[in-house]
Amino acid sequence: MANVTFKNESTTTAGELPAVGDQLPDFTLVGTDLGELTPADFAGKRVVLNIFPSLDTGVCAKSVREFNERATSLDNTVVLGVSQDLPFAHGRFCSAEGIENVTTGSAFRSSFGEDYGLTLQGSPLQGLLARAVIVADENGKVVYTQLVDEITDEPDYDAAVNALS
């Protein structure tokens, strides 16, 4: 379990992030079309997992917008935004915001949060996902991770993108 804070109040996660050098753990998410998204859908591509509590918060929405903008210059790379929000909320947000360079996946009916060690165990956000970024190369090997210490802070976009170099 890892320690993070929400509005400076300590809380924990369900486990630990995958380590750099590990193979990206398998997952099944629900896309905006209600179809399944798995690592096989991104085979041969680099993957940036932008993981966050909910699109209905300013920082989470900003992170999706920022990665959407940065994704335009990333070759052979998929940015995947992951939260517990329902696929309908993902679709609505992406449509309203003009998000075209980020694929979103809902973890609402999967073990993603536990498998990635990110389900929040306490705080008012208990049951949602902590804020994190995981980058994997085209072979699915984890090359970068960040568990954001304070959930209300943005991730380090530059470090995530630089990990792709």
Side-chain angles (χ1 to χ4, degrees), residues 19-79:
V20 170
D22 286 353
Q23 197 66 24
L24 193 65
D26 199 23
F27 60 80
T28 301
L29 301 169
V30 181
T32 57
D33 63 356
L34 301 180
E36 291 185 345
L37 294 171
T38 69
D41 295 312
F42 311 112
K45 295 193 179 284
R46 302 179 304 176
V47 177
V48 176
L49 293 170
N50 175 33
I51 305 158
F52 47 88
S54 175
L55 287 166
D56 288 325
T57 68
V59 176
C60 299
K62 186 173 181 181
S63 75
V64 175
R65 286 187 211 103
E66 182 67 26
F67 274 118
N68 182 63
E69 185 176 309
R70 290 175 183 244
T72 61
S73 64
L74 302 175
D75 293 329
N76 195 38
T77 303
V78 173
V79 177

Side-chain angles (χ1 to χ4, degrees), residues 72-118:
T72 61
S73 64
L74 302 175
D75 293 329
N76 195 38
T77 303
V78 173
V79 177
L80 180 58
V82 181
S83 74
Q84 292 284 78
D85 293 305
L86 292 176
F88 312 111
H90 283 237
R92 181 183 68 246
F93 176 84
C94 291
S95 177
E97 296 286 333
I99 303 295
E100 298 177 348
N101 303 310
V102 171
T103 300
T104 58
S106 174
F108 86 104
R109 64 177 181 208
S110 77
S111 60
F112 180 90
E114 288 75 25
D115 297 343
Y116 279 71
L118 290 170

